[in-house]
Structure formats: structure tokens, C-alpha cells
Amino acid sequence: MELQTIEWRNNKIKLIDQTRLPDKLEYVYIDNLKSLWQAIKKMKVRGAPALGAAAAWGVYLGAKDIKAKNFSEFSRKLDKISAYIASCRPTARNLFWGIERMCSAAVRNKNKPIPDIKRILFKEAQDIIKEDKASCRRIGYYGARLIKNNDTILTICNAGALATIDYGTALGVIYRAGEEGKKPKVFSCETRPMLQGARLTAWELKHKGIDVTLICDSMAAALMRQNRIHKVITGADRISANGDAANKIGTYNLAVLARYHHIPFYIAAPGSTFDLGIKSGRDIPIEERDAAELTRLFFKNPVGPKGIKVFNPAFDVTPADFITAFITDRGVIRPPYAKNIPRVLGE
Ligand code: MRU
């Protein structure tokens, strides 16, 4: 069975509800902006490229019902919709990229009648879906060249089909290596506190027939010491111009461990995750989430004392120096990143 994380169906956004996995494969149908905002916030849809597509469909969802006499009125209303969607989660560059792409399409066509602009926005969101499918496959193609037969790869969070439209970035590399007969094996970090590695990556890889073993996050060092990991590959939420990369909290731990154990550490991401307007990782906004994610969410009984202080940043930043290479949809980028990222990705 092929999975598609997001699509437009019967005038609604159709999403796989990722909070129900691995128990149930269920879909939610979204027909208003408030429900979309909540679906993103609660991580029914999550993962940087999927957020980009969800945001783009959100812009269309709001735009299709705009009543406006002229473009400037339309544009004012579109900006309001965009700002509302953008207020949802701050870290993934793709969310803002999706919104910006939709707004630029409207501006480029401002001399056309409003109904035509709405049709153009529909097509733009559809193109984002199509392009994500192609871009993940290109990442897979470039990344699989780095994988040797029977390599064991460590990953964190979910950078797979569920985090994109249907193939994945880090997991796209593994799928492609599998398609090439290289028999990759995967250790998936469970990824506390929201357990994307346990609930999503382990489920997705198993579903697609890849040899996957679930570990808890604190087991990574021991496995590396036993020479059982050949490569670490993760996704990213935002990469600054100098190559610092924000990804799920715990990614930096893996990068430090990989450096110590002389294991290559790769980040797989499309061009839309790079933020060339941000010089270094220090400027990447890091989302802080609800304390309850740590103290109770997946447990019958609370696992922290009532009222305990909790610090719950959803992402950390891995300094560029720890990253062996970026596997992008335009090829593999190696250091020096300050020079090579703009060279490969600059417009
Ligand atoms: O909080 P999440 O689940 O949205 O975090 C997602 C990640 O950290 C992914 O690794 C990243 O978005 C890359 S997805 C291809």
C-alpha cells in the first residue's frame, strides 16, 4: 500500500493523522484554517517538507473563499491568512517557504481576475506536492551513492514518507539504497518526548520492508562503541547559510557521538529547508512545547511530579562542523559550507 501524507480531496485537505500511528492508519479531512492550525500544532501533520505542503494548501483553503473587489483587498486578506498559518510552529523553514511561494504566485499574477488567481494558487499547491515527490527521489538517488551494501544506519525522529509527501529525505536515501539491492539496516531512535522514531519511523520502515530495530535514545553511544553503526542520517528543519542545522532534539547528541566514534554524519534535506537569509544556527528560532509532552502524554500515570518545572525544546542545532555532508535534491554538499551551500543552492 502506498502512503500519501497530504492531498487535496473533495475540497478539503486530507492528512494522515500521525497522532494515531502506529495503532491506526486514519485520515483527517480539513475544511477550515483553525482545524489546520490545530492539526499542525498537535502534530497530526509534522516534518518540515510536509509542513511546507500543508501550509501551502492552508493558504489555498483560506484564499478560495476570499471575497475582494480588487487585488489589494485580496492581498491584504491573503497576508492575514498567511500570518495565521505562520504563527503555528516556528522552526521548520519549509512552513514559511510554502506560504511565501503561494503569496509570490498571487503577486506575480496580480493583474489577473481574482478567480484566475485562485486557480493559480490551487495549481501552485499541487505543484508543491508534485515537486516534493520528485525532490525526495533526487535526495534518495544522491544519498544512496554514499551507502555501501549491508550498511547499518542510525536515524532519529521521522524524516520519511510521513514527513514529506510520500518518500522521505533521510529515509528516502534508505529506500533508494534498498531499491538498489544494498540491503540497508536501520536503528531508529525512539525520539523522546513525542516518539516520532518509535511511532512513525519504525512503523513506516517496517511497512516498507526495511530491516529496522527500535532503540531508546540513550542506546546510541553503546551501539556506536560496538561498531554497529556505519552512518548516521537525519533530516533537518532549517539549515542556515553556514551549514548549522536545526533538527529534532537529540540530533546534536548523535552528531557529537558520531564525531567521537569516527562515523559519518549526514543530513538529508531539500533546498526548501535551507534558509540562506540566516547566517548561523544561533538565529534559528527553536520551538518550545508543552510540559505535558514529557510528563504524561504517552503514559497512563504521570511520570513527573505534579507542577514540576519542565524544559521542552523541540529542536536542537548541530553546528556545521559536525556534519560530514548535506544530501540535497541538487546533489551532495560538502564543506566548506559557507562557500558550497550558496554555490549549489543560491538562486
Ligand atoms: O517535531 P517534528 O516531528 O515536526 O520534527 C520533525 C523533524 O525533526 C524531522 O527530522 C525534520 O522535519 C525533517 S523531515 C524530512
Side-chain angles (χ1 to χ4, degrees):
M1 182 193 14
E2 282 309 310
L3 299 170
Q4 177 147 339
T5 309
I6 304 173
E7 60 185 303
W8 184 259
R9 190 56 78 85
N10 300 331
N11 236 16
K12 294 184 179 86
I13 305 172
K14 180 183 174 191
L15 301 173
I16 294 181
D17 182 348
Q18 300 191 30
T19 59
R20 305 289 289 148
L21 288 169
D23 247 16
K24 291 200 168 73
L25 178 58
E26 280 182 5
Y27 293 86
V28 273
Y29 293 82
I30 289 181
D31 64 0
N32 66 80
L33 285 175
K34 195 166 172 220
S35 305
L36 178 69
W37 197 95
Q38 272 163 353
I40 294 175
K41 191 77 183 170
K42 293 196 168 142
M43 298 198 189
K44 286 177 195 280
V45 59
R46 31 73 44 208
L51 291 178
W57 278 119
V59 172
Y60 175 71
L61 189 68
K64 77 180 174 50
D65 296 328
I66 291 179
K67 292 189 178 40
K69 288 189 206 68
N70 51 43
F71 183 77
S72 77
E73 192 186 346
F74 180 81
S75 169
R76 259 197 321 279
K77 291 184 175 170
L78 197 65
D79 285 349
K80 222 172 140 191
I81 291 165
S82 302
Y84 178 62
I85 299 169
S87 69
C88 197
R89 294 189 73 192
T91 306
R93 169 65 195 143
N94 307 62
L95 184 118
F96 303 92
W97 170 89
I99 294 170
E100 285 160 20
R101 216 177 120 159
M102 294 294 279
C103 292
S104 314
V107 171
R108 268 198 318 276
N109 292 284
K110 65 180 180 191
N111 294 326
K112 299 205 167 113
I114 305 287
D116 287 5
I117 298 177
K118 291 183 180 177
R119 274 192 287 279
I120 286 163
L121 288 178
F122 180 79
K123 178 160 182 306
E124 193 71 18
Q126 264 185 331
D127 285 351
I128 287 175
I129 296 274
K130 266 193 240 149
E131 288 168 25
D132 181 84
K133 293 182 180 190
S135 139
C136 285
R137 279 156 182 86
R138 281 198 303 276
I139 291 172
Y141 166 77
Y142 291 120
R145 292 169 167 189
L146 304 168
I147 308 294
K148 298 201 178 100
N149 287 341
N150 304 309
D151 263 357
T152 297
I153 296 152
L154 180 71
T155 192
I156 186 167
C157 197
N158 173 269
L162 291 164
T164 58
I165 299 304
D166 68 348
Y167 198 69
T169 58
L171 299 194
V173 171
I174 291 159
Y175 293 138
R176 176 66 191 236
E179 288 156 24
E180 291 176 5
K182 292 182 172 172
K183 300 194 167 58
K185 293 188 185 63
V186 178
F187 278 103
S188 174
C189 291
E190 62 172 349
T191 319
R192 279 286 281 148
M194 291 297 280
L195 300 174
Q196 290 92 331
R199 294 186 300 109
L200 308 177
T201 294
W203 178 82
E204 179 182 324
L205 289 173
K206 190 166 179 280
H207 176 83
K208 296 216 181 191
I210 300 282
D211 181 330
V212 55
T213 305
L214 178 62
I215 57 169
C216 77
D217 299 328
S218 43
M219 290 172 186
L223 283 181
M224 289 187 188
R225 180 135 187 101
Q226 293 164 16
N227 296 322
R228 294 172 73 184
I229 306 293
H230 301 112
K231 275 149 195 129
V232 180
I233 312 181
T234 78
D237 277 77
R238 196 187 290 237
I239 302 160
S240 55
N242 70 340
D244 294 344
N247 192 51
K248 182 52 56 197
I249 190 80
T251 303
Y252 174 48
N253 301 26
L254 297 182
V256 173
L257 291 173
R259 163 67 56 88
Y260 182 79
H261 293 93
H262 308 290
I263 296 167
F265 179 91
Y266 296 108
I267 288 200
S272 49
T273 302
F274 287 77
D275 188 348
L276 301 190
I278 282 189
K279 270 204 202 120
S280 86
R282 269 194 295 275
D283 300 324
I284 300 177
I286 300 292
E287 175 183 14
E288 264 189 57
R289 294 185 58 88
D290 204 289
E293 287 181 355
L294 261 93
T295 54
R296 41 195 317 151
L297 202 60
F298 291 104
F299 304 93
K300 213 164 161 204
N301 299 316
V303 291
K306 211 170 172 211
I308 189 70
K309 272 198 286 180
V310 169
F311 179 46
N312 183 19
F315 302 96
D316 58 24
V317 175
T318 298
D321 186 39
F322 286 81
I323 300 164
T324 309
F326 290 99
I327 305 164
T328 79
D329 45 358
R330 292 185 225 166
V332 172
I333 307 180
R334 292 186 185 272
Y337 295 126
K339 179 165 155 248
N340 289 340
I341 290 174
R343 184 178 59 75
V344 177
L345 301 176
E347 296 310 318

